[in-house]
Amino acid sequence: MAYKIEVDKETCIGCGACVSVCDDLFELNEEEMKAHVKKEQIEELGCAKEAEDTCPVDAIKITEQ
Ligand code: SF4
């Protein structure tokens, strides 16, 4: 199963919670203070689900490919 991960930059408040739980997949763009997805396509969910659950504004979207 493959998954696509996206961050809605309009919604993201740059809190860094996703980076704290999943820095393999997320990093904070410090200029714009928004989360950036390092790997948009992944084969296994790993910590992506945890990041999605942790985001306080539901800005992370995971879709099955
Ligand atoms: S947890 Fe959500 S709001 Fe916080 S930086 Fe990540 S995507 Fe943005």
Side-chain angles (χ1 to χ4, degrees):
M1 184 76 74
Y3 301 91
K4 182 178 179 187
I5 307 178
E6 295 166 283
V7 169
D8 179 352
K9 293 204 170 179
E10 297 294 315
T11 309
C12 173
I13 55 171
C15 69
C18 55
V19 181
S20 315
V21 298
C22 193
D23 68 353
D24 280 355
L25 296 178
F26 298 91
E27 64 190 353
L28 210 54
N29 179 325
E30 299 203 351
E31 256 173 49
E32 53 181 18
M33 288 307 287
K34 303 283 180 185
H36 169 75
V37 183
K38 292 177 171 176
K39 298 177 208 162
E40 290 182 0
Q41 301 275 350
I42 54 172
E43 297 299 317
E44 296 199 11
L45 270 182
C47 56
K49 187 82 184 87
E50 200 179 342
E52 182 191 38
D53 290 344
T54 302
C55 179
V57 292
D58 286 337
I60 298 172
K61 192 170 119 194
I62 302 172
T63 41
E64 288 181 8
Q65 298 291 285

